[in-house]
């Protein structure tokens, strides 16, 4: 027989559950507020003691209420935080199983797609998904099997809160680790995120892709075009992450198409630029919001990326030569419509000229003595000193400085690449130093 004390405890529990069952929205919020205040941080056994071994009965009621009202867009934060107390409690695996058995994961994922629900509530939903994913591999698989990757990625792209987006990134990183069955799904979901309109989401996706790429190993064919397209961004912090990812990707099987793509970006198609220019000049509203053509932003970023890659790896520099990178760089130097393309292409060409005597010879012949001397004096500000005729000479160059071996390398100049980083510090990092001030603005 149960003792008087036990009977009193059971009576209190039944009275509490009856109060919940009969309560309206306002009273239930009060009950949840008290529950959160008095039980946050408790272990599973402590929760059982609090509820006279009937904590699961309350969890089921709270979860059921969540499933009933979440589509209405009513405030869910207290409900989700209360469920979080159960799921995060030490020695509380039974609560997690009970939550999952009544469709908890699907409910949390569906919350992310309901427009009426506010961002704070969705962030709480993400936090619960983090708890579930951190519990073990089979729980990560359950989230993925429930079309979770798509729902989470779409929410990241649409979210307006940077704090919430960072919570989503943590969840995606958790899902890609220790989840061999679905790690490719997460990897593809991150690639699909790259064209989204949110710069913050793009940056977080690129960061997480670096991690995912090392885990997955193999590359997806679409990653090359997606990453190169990101280079058209006006946000330096996004461009930085794209370049960092490219530095990793060149060690995989997409090395050649990636290098070819970068060189191709140095010479945007004439039809493409003409079409975009015509659109801008015919629409004053576009002119106000779009000060630079995306293809020219890509051109400048490609010149910067090529310079970074070539300095990091001499073999890559040789490969780029064989792809006619010098011709492309000189063409970009002649783009008087975009001074940053001229500046960055000029800095990168300076490296190739100093490293490869063959390049130096052909560039001098193509430029002519006067222009070449201006180039040698200060490559970074060359674009401010050339006239329209000299710009045309650069844009129409026929340089074909290629080599099938490293025999043309001036060994005395190798220290330029492996020792002093003066050029690297001078031109390329200037843009990155502006990153934080740019993002603050």
């Amino acid at each position: 027989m149960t003792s008087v004390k036990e009977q009193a405890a059971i009576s209190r529990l039944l009275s509490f559950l009856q109060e919940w069952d009969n309560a309206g929205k306002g009273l239930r919020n009060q009950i949840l507020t008290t529950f959160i205040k008095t039980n946050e941080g408790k272990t599973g056994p402590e929760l059982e003691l609090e509820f006279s071994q009937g904590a699961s009965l309350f969890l089921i009621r709270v979860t059921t209420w969540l499933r009933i009202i979440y589509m209405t867009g009513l405030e869910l934060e207290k409900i989700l935080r209360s469920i979080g107390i159960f799921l995060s409690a030490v020695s509380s695996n039974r609560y997690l199983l009970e939550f999952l058995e009544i469709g908890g994961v699907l409910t949390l994922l569906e919350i992310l797609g309901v427009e009426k629900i506010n961002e704070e509530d969705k962030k709480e939903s993400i936090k619960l998904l983090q708890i579930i994913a951190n519990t073990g591999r089979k729980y990560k698989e359950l989230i993925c099997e429930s079309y979770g990757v798509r729902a989470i990625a779409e929410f990241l792209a649409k979210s307006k809160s940077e704090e919430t987006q960072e919570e989503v990134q943590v969840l995606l990183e958790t899902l890609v680790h220790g989840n061999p069955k679905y790690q490719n799904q997460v990897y593809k979901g991150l690639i699909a995120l790259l064209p989204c309109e949110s710069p913050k989401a793009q940056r977080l996706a690129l960061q997480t892709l670096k991690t995912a790429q090392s885990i997955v190993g193999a590359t997806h064919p679409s990653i090359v075009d997606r990453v190169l397209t990101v280079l058209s961004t006006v946000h330096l912090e996004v461009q930085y992450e794209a370049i960092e990812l490219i530095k990793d990707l060149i060690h995989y099987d997409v090395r050649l198409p990636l290098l070819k793509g970068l060189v191709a970006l140095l010479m945007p198609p004439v039809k493409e630029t003409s079409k975009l220019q015509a659109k801008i000049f015919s629409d004053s509203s576009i002119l106000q919001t779009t000060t630079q053509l995306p293809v020219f932003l890509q051109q400048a970023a490609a010149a910067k990326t090529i310079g970074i890659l070539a300095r990091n790896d001499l073999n890559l520099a040789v490969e780029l030569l064989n792809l006619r990178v010098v011709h492309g760089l000189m063409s970009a130097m002649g783009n008087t419509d975009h001074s940053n393309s001229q500046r960055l292409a000029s800095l990168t060409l300076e490296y190739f000229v100093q490293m490869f005597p063959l390049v130096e010879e052909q560039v001098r012949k193509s430029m002519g003595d006067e222009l070449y001397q201006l180039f040698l004096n200060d490559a970074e500000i060359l674009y401010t000193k050339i006239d329209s005729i000299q710009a045309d000479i650069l844009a129409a160059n026929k340089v074909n400085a290629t080599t099938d071996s490293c025999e043309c390398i001036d060994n005395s100049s190798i220290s330029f690449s492996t020792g002093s980083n003066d050029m690297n510090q001078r031109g390329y990092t200037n843009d990155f130093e502006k990153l934080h001030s740019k993002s603050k603005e």
Side-chain angles (χ1 to χ4, degrees):
M1 292 180 65
T2 57
S3 66
V4 173
K5 187 176 180 180
E6 288 173 335
Q7 287 179 344
I10 293 171
S11 178
R12 284 196 303 272
L13 172 63
L14 293 175
S15 176
F16 172 78
L17 295 176
Q18 187 175 20
E19 180 185 14
W20 172 270
D21 293 340
N22 296 329
K25 177 180 177 294
L27 182 54
R28 285 187 175 184
N29 278 336
Q30 291 178 23
I31 293 172
L32 291 176
T33 299
T34 303
F35 172 76
I36 293 167
K37 185 177 180 180
T38 58
N39 293 284
E40 203 155 26
K42 285 188 175 180
T43 65
E46 286 172 336
L47 287 172
E48 285 301 315
L49 184 62
E50 176 73 20
F51 284 90
S52 305
Q53 309 306 312
S56 293
L57 297 174
F58 183 53
L59 172 61
I60 290 171
R61 281 167 167 77
V62 175
T63 305
T64 302
W65 190 37
L66 172 67
R67 288 180 58 79
I68 291 171
I69 72 162
Y70 79 91
M71 290 294 290
T72 65
L74 293 174
E75 188 175 332
L76 305 176
E77 183 183 6
K78 289 186 177 66
I79 304 174
L80 294 168
R81 285 184 61 190
S82 298
I83 293 171
I85 289 173
F86 284 101
L87 301 190
S88 61
V90 177
S91 304
S92 63
N93 195 54
R94 58 177 288 192
Y95 301 141
L96 175 60
L97 294 176
E98 289 164 357
F99 179 70
L100 298 180
E101 283 174 0
I102 56 176
V105 165
L106 282 173
T107 303
L108 295 177
L109 292 172
E110 287 169 3
I111 285 171
L112 302 180
V114 179
E115 292 186 8
K116 294 179 181 179
I117 298 176
N118 64 51
E119 285 255 340
E120 282 301 310
D121 292 346
K122 291 180 179 181
K123 184 172 72 172
E124 290 298 325
S125 182
I126 289 291
K127 288 180 177 180
L128 291 185
L129 288 166
Q130 289 174 2
I131 295 171
I132 295 169
N134 282 320
T135 305
R137 173 177 166 179
K138 67 178 183 179
Y139 300 103
K140 296 176 186 180
E141 291 179 351
L142 176 60
I143 292 172
C144 295
E145 287 166 359
S146 305
Y147 302 99
V149 174
R150 179 175 178 177
I152 294 163
E154 287 180 352
F155 173 57
L156 174 57
K158 294 176 182 178
S159 174
K160 305 299 181 184
S161 162
E162 292 196 358
E163 185 179 342
T164 301
Q165 287 175 314
E166 288 169 2
E167 293 288 352
V168 178
Q169 182 194 27
V170 171
L171 175 58
L172 288 170
E173 285 189 348
T174 302
L175 291 176
V176 83
H177 280 96
N179 189 15
K181 188 175 179 180
Y182 290 102
Q183 62 188 22
N184 272 300
Q185 188 182 97
V186 181
Y187 174 64
K188 292 175 184 177
L190 291 166
I191 295 173
L193 264 174
L194 295 183
C196 75
E197 295 181 359
S198 167
K200 178 72 172 183
Q202 285 182 311
R203 185 167 70 84
L204 295 176
L206 288 163
Q207 288 176 348
T208 314
L209 262 174
K210 277 175 60 70
T211 302
Q213 186 61 69
S214 63
I215 293 171
V216 173
T219 57
H220 191 274
S222 68
I223 196 170
V224 173
D225 288 340
R226 291 291 174 89
V227 174
L228 292 180
T229 299
V230 172
L231 292 179
S232 65
T233 180
V234 298
H235 301 277
L236 283 176
E237 67 275 18
V238 177
Q239 184 190 100
Y240 172 80
E241 296 298 344
I243 293 173
E244 288 298 299
L245 179 58
I246 288 171
K247 286 162 66 175
D248 284 354
L249 289 174
I250 57 168
H251 300 297
Y252 293 88
D253 57 355
V254 293
R255 179 187 182 104
L256 183 57
L258 197 51
L259 295 180
K260 284 183 176 179
L262 286 169
V263 173
L265 290 180
L266 295 173
M267 297 168 286
V270 176
K271 289 183 179 179
E272 184 86 9
T273 56
S274 299
K275 183 171 66 176
L276 286 168
Q277 285 172 330
K279 184 177 180 182
I280 288 176
F281 294 139
S282 64
D283 189 337
S284 59
S285 65
I286 295 177
L287 182 60
Q288 292 170 4
T289 57
T290 310
T291 58
Q292 302 179 53
L293 294 172
V295 290
F296 292 161
L297 292 169
Q298 278 183 301
Q299 183 186 54
K304 179 198 294 185
T305 306
I306 288 168
I308 292 170
L309 294 177
R311 284 173 174 77
N312 286 344
D313 189 336
L314 198 58
N315 291 324
L316 266 176
V318 174
E319 287 181 53
L320 286 162
L321 277 185
N322 290 328
L323 296 173
R324 297 195 66 196
V325 71
V326 175
H327 170 66
L329 290 169
M330 291 183 67
S331 295
M333 289 168 64
N335 179 11
T336 55
D337 290 322
H338 197 246
S339 59
N340 205 35
S341 287
Q342 293 178 290
R343 182 179 71 85
L344 292 169
S346 186
L347 284 169
T348 297
L349 181 64
E350 184 181 34
Y351 168 78
F352 281 96
V353 165
Q354 293 193 355
M355 286 302 297
F356 300 94
L358 174 66
V359 175
E360 179 187 13
E361 179 185 346
Q362 293 202 23
V363 169
R364 184 191 297 112
K365 286 181 180 178
S366 179
M367 286 186 178
D369 290 339
E370 181 183 352
L371 180 55
Y372 186 71
Q373 192 57 48
L374 288 172
F375 172 69
L376 286 183
N377 288 343
D378 196 332
E380 185 170 12
I381 62 170
L382 176 66
Y383 71 96
T384 65
K385 298 182 178 300
I386 61 176
D387 56 33
S388 58
I389 295 175
Q390 291 170 324
D392 288 341
I393 290 172
L394 290 167
N397 82 90
K398 304 295 182 184
V399 171
N400 187 25
T402 62
T403 176
D404 294 325
S405 70
C406 297
E407 293 177 359
C408 66
I409 299 175
D410 181 358
N411 291 326
S412 65
S413 67
I414 289 181
S415 60
F416 180 83
S417 172
T418 58
S420 172
N421 277 327
D422 289 344
M423 279 187 63
N424 205 27
Q425 293 299 321
R426 188 176 83 181
Y428 290 88
T429 58
N430 285 345
D431 293 312
F432 298 141
E433 287 169 359
K434 298 173 187 174
L435 188 154
H436 296 296
S437 61
K438 233 351 179 181
S439 60
K440 287 177 184 177
E441 294 172 3

